[in-house]
Amino acid sequence: MVFDDVESVQPAASLRARALPWALKFLKPVGVVAIVVYLLLKFPQIWAALGLARIEQFGKQIADKKGLCVFLVGFSLFVIRGAGALLLGVPLPRYHDEFSYLLAADTFAHGRLTNPPHPMWVHFETFHVIWQPTYMSMYPPGEGLILAVGEVLGNPWVGQLLASALMCAAICWMLQGWIPPRWALLGGVLVVARLGLLSYFTNGYWSACLPAVGGALILGSLPRIQQGAKKFSAVVMAIGLFILANTRPYEGFLLALGVAIDLFAWMFGRHRPPVRILLTRIMLPLVLTLVPLAAGTGYYYYRVTGSPFRMAYDVNRATYAMGRYFIWQKPWPQKTYHHAKMRAYYEREFREATEDQTLRGFLRRGREKLYYFWKVYLVPPLPFVLIALPCAARDRRLRVPWMIGGIFVMGLAVEVWFLPHYFAPAAALLYLFLMQCMRHLRWFEWKQRPVGLAFVRAVSVVYLGTALLRIGLAVAHVHPEKEWQHGDLERAAIVRELDALPGEDVVLVRYAPDFDLDREWVSNRADVDGSKIVWARDMGAEKNQELLDYYRGRKFWIIEADGSAKLEPYEEKR
């Protein structure tokens, strides 16, 4: 249903088994790029004959209109991916996290900050959700708010599409602050092609696009503040910090730490502006913008957890988790679980966290992090430009970005778990490094032939061409991706079946022992009792009777979640 590549969100199984096929797959674009470079050098007129010279010239002409470029980058993603959704339908949720974000969206869309705990909550217990003192997603509110905008407009995914468009535009804007406009525009186009169109950043319900927006805003504001000390740049930086704090707080802190170090070094360095300028154009706008935003966040947590200083995330982890997120932390005590699937999930977490505290486990996890990072951010042939990394590493203009990136990566290394969107706050930083590598390659000549120019053009054309091919295949309903990459089709089929029936329903889910621990069917809307379909866990005939008594008048069903799911009336199963 979508053109997507979200293998990265799958738990690691056996990297060795996939290493050789992945290496062979990597060689294909090498050959394609080599052929294109040869053709461009042998027949330079082919660039104009295919109309590519005209497109390149158009890009050069509009690149200096920075505001227009930022708008076009974001708008193009919105139009292209939006058209794809009209043809193919919107993506479906599949994983725990996505359903948790959608719960927050449904809550906000109905004008509430949280929901009262349900008297039958044990039957509805699920991952990444708190039930006490209120019923709400454990995640920060940022992603839920943007999905709520989409829900109000007709579908939560519309909010995700808006966030993706903002991400592409923000990264283009960030690049304009560090490199020439032409290269910033190219970087924005490449972001659209990969993160915007073909990654789970857009084709799902994860908090990935908004952290990238927040990171791009503070990274783009940094050189603008130092070059012009404009109030607007300070306000934008404050907004970026607020977005990061309400999407990915830890990773956002890592990025902000590097930015703060450079900003304070500049403010107290030899080239600092007058104190009056620092106070009135930088510090005051930052504080005046951040204080009310921070107060709003504190009030949200006060309503959800009872304390403005306690996140719902902390409540959930203290309630369910045994494994901790950082390698130096000792595990929590053994917890008591009401459901076998939840016990299996958190016991797996505990084993992984314990293994990562050993040197062997730490190195294995580091290899997995690098693999999944590469799978999302450095899809061939884009990483080929990294051959110029030694030149970019010596570039004086990149000293600060390297420092910020180094702090960020070291902070990620000490986390036990990793998914590619954990890196999202620094996505703009990565594209800055890639574009700078391209700039160095552009001037490479061999025997007075523009080999570097041909190489940069070849990488760009093959990269964008691959994206267009993937989109074309999706429109033609030829999907090279695995079925699970289109969302949970089985659960969606059950929902459609029940929606076609009159009356209200309760679905009791019984999980097979080998059912994917990261996949979930028991997920409900913010107003559980007001929902047409209520999802609950099968807890045995005696405890299930509580639900039958509570929901008198509803039709009860049971389903075996084992890969061949089929609804059956519950009465026949008692």
Side-chain angles (χ1 to χ4, degrees):
M1 294 182 66
V2 297
F3 29 92
D4 194 8
D5 181 8
V6 292
E7 185 176 349
S8 55
V9 303
Q10 287 288 80
S14 173
L15 291 182
R16 278 184 201 169
R18 285 174 287 185
L20 181 58
W22 182 73
L24 294 175
K25 186 178 179 180
F26 186 82
L27 292 176
K28 294 179 182 178
V30 172
V32 174
V33 169
I35 292 173
V36 175
V37 169
Y38 172 79
L39 292 175
L40 290 177
L41 292 175
K42 188 72 174 179
F43 309 102
Q45 65 275 14
I46 197 174
W47 187 252
L50 294 175
L52 298 175
R54 184 174 299 178
I55 296 175
E56 187 179 54
Q57 186 60 34
F58 173 74
K60 292 178 180 178
Q61 290 174 352
I62 68 168
D64 289 329
K65 301 176 181 178
K66 295 183 179 180
L68 176 63
C69 289
V70 170
F71 170 78
L72 289 177
V73 166
F75 185 70
S76 64
L77 180 280
F78 187 85
V79 171
I80 296 172
R81 187 61 188 90
L86 292 176
L87 292 172
L88 305 168
V90 301
L92 299 171
R94 182 181 180 91
Y95 298 103
H96 311 147
D97 308 65
E98 296 179 280
F99 286 111
S100 180
Y101 288 124
L102 288 170
L103 167 62
D106 193 44
T107 302
F108 297 144
H110 286 85
R112 299 189 298 273
L113 291 180
T114 189
N115 309 284
H118 196 281
M120 296 285 108
W121 68 270
V122 173
H123 295 269
F124 313 136
E125 205 169 13
T126 189
F127 299 94
H128 309 326
V129 168
I130 65 169
W131 285 97
Q132 301 294 336
T134 62
Y135 166 44
M136 189 52 174
S137 167
M138 78 170 189
Y139 288 114
E143 179 69 10
L145 286 170
I146 196 70
L147 293 178
V149 172
E151 184 169 330
V152 171
L153 294 176
N155 190 289
W157 185 75
V158 175
Q160 191 74 335
L161 180 61
L162 289 170
S164 183
L166 289 173
M167 172 187 69
C168 298
I171 292 178
C172 179
W173 178 81
M174 175 270 183
L175 293 173
Q176 289 174 347
W178 290 92
I179 57 178
R182 297 178 183 179
W183 293 97
L185 177 58
L186 175 60
V189 172
L190 296 180
V191 172
V192 169
R194 177 56 194 169
L195 296 184
L197 292 175
L198 297 179
S199 82
Y200 76 99
F201 277 43
T202 305
N203 301 316
Y205 301 87
W206 300 77
S207 183
C209 296
L210 279 184
V213 172
L217 292 182
I218 67 170
L219 289 168
S221 298
L222 180 61
R224 290 174 169 89
I225 288 175
Q226 294 175 343
Q227 293 166 9
K230 296 181 179 179
K231 297 177 182 178
F232 176 75
S233 299
V235 171
V236 170
M237 178 174 283
I239 294 173
L241 291 169
F242 172 74
I243 292 174
L244 289 176
N246 286 278
T247 51
R248 296 218 59 86
Y250 172 69
E251 292 82 3
F253 167 76
L254 293 175
L255 191 76
L257 177 62
V259 171
I261 290 173
D262 181 65
L263 191 60
F264 280 107
W266 170 73
M267 291 171 63
F268 296 100
R270 290 184 301 171
H271 303 291
R272 64 181 182 274
V275 174
R276 180 180 60 83
I277 298 296
L278 288 175
L279 292 177
T280 59
R281 296 189 182 181
I282 300 175
M283 300 306 298
L284 189 61
L286 267 171
V287 171
L288 291 179
T289 305
L290 276 177
V291 166
L293 294 177
T297 300
Y299 179 70
Y300 167 76
Y301 285 122
Y302 169 74
R303 292 291 305 277
V304 174
T305 69
S307 169
F309 305 107
R310 193 178 191 198
M311 300 172 64
Y313 179 91
D314 295 329
V315 174
N316 179 272
R317 297 298 292 178
T319 303
Y320 296 107
M322 293 180 288
R324 306 289 287 272
Y325 262 94
F326 298 103
I327 59 175
W328 64 80
Q329 292 178 308
K330 294 181 179 180
W332 274 300
Q334 177 74 38
K335 299 295 197 305
T336 300
Y337 302 100
H338 300 105
H339 309 286
K341 188 172 189 289
M342 297 190 72
R343 180 175 62 250
Y345 177 85
Y346 288 108
E347 285 178 348
R348 185 187 71 179
E349 271 197 354
F350 174 73
R351 291 193 301 270
E352 292 174 345
T354 303
E355 291 171 2
D356 284 6
Q357 290 182 329
T358 67
L359 178 59
R360 182 177 180 181
F362 178 77
L363 294 176
R364 177 185 58 81
R365 181 68 65 177
R367 186 173 72 247
E368 291 174 359
K369 290 178 180 179
L370 182 60
Y371 172 80
Y372 291 123
F373 166 81
W374 193 280
K375 286 284 292 182
V376 167
Y377 294 98
L378 294 176
V379 176
L382 189 58
F384 298 171
V385 302
L386 293 177
I387 60 175
L389 194 58
C391 297
R394 295 192 298 268
D395 195 327
R396 291 173 58 89
R397 289 167 291 188
L398 289 189
R399 287 181 179 177
V400 170
W402 279 121
M403 180 270 295
I404 297 172
I407 293 174
F408 189 82
V409 170
M410 286 189 292
L412 291 184
V414 298
E415 287 186 286
V416 173
W417 295 283
F418 175 80
L419 290 173
H421 59 275
Y422 294 10
F423 189 85
L429 202 61
L430 174 65
Y431 277 88
L432 173 61
F433 296 143
L434 291 170
M435 291 302 102
Q436 200 69 351
C437 287
M438 281 189 169
R439 290 185 65 201
H440 284 281
L441 282 171
R442 163 68 178 82
W443 300 108
F444 176 73
E445 293 186 353
W446 184 61
K447 295 184 178 180
Q448 297 183 332
R449 305 184 73 179
V451 176
L453 175 61
F455 184 78
V456 169
R457 285 175 169 175
V459 167
S460 302
V461 168
V462 174
Y463 190 76
L464 296 173
T466 302
L468 293 175
L469 176 62
R470 291 279 297 280
I471 294 172
L473 289 173
V475 172
H477 298 283
V478 178
H479 297 289
E481 300 88 359
K482 298 176 183 178
E483 184 178 272
W484 56 259
Q485 293 175 306
H486 307 294
D488 199 326
L489 302 180
E490 285 185 274
R491 189 180 189 276
I494 297 167
V495 171
R496 287 195 300 270
E497 181 180 349
L498 292 177
D499 280 341
L501 299 176
E504 297 179 323
D505 307 280
V506 176
V507 180
L508 298 174
V509 181
R510 181 179 299 163
Y511 290 101
D514 59 347
F515 194 82
D516 185 359
L517 288 178
D518 294 286
R519 190 176 165 197
E520 182 58 283
W521 282 7
V522 178
S523 176
N524 291 290
R525 298 176 67 90
D527 182 6
V528 180
D529 292 346
S531 304
K532 202 283 188 186
I533 305 171
V534 173
W535 296 82
R537 298 185 185 275
D538 175 33
M539 298 183 69
E542 182 178 347
K543 292 188 177 180
N544 288 345
Q545 188 62 41
E546 296 178 343
L547 277 185
L548 271 72
D549 294 338
Y550 184 85
Y551 285 116
R552 293 186 181 276
R554 284 183 180 252
K555 176 70 174 179
F556 275 72
W557 307 84
I558 192 163
I559 190 166
E560 302 279 351
D562 59 359
S564 57
K566 183 180 179 182
L567 275 175
E568 295 184 23
Y570 177 67
E571 288 79 7
E572 298 178 8
K573 288 290 182 179
R574 285 192 290 182

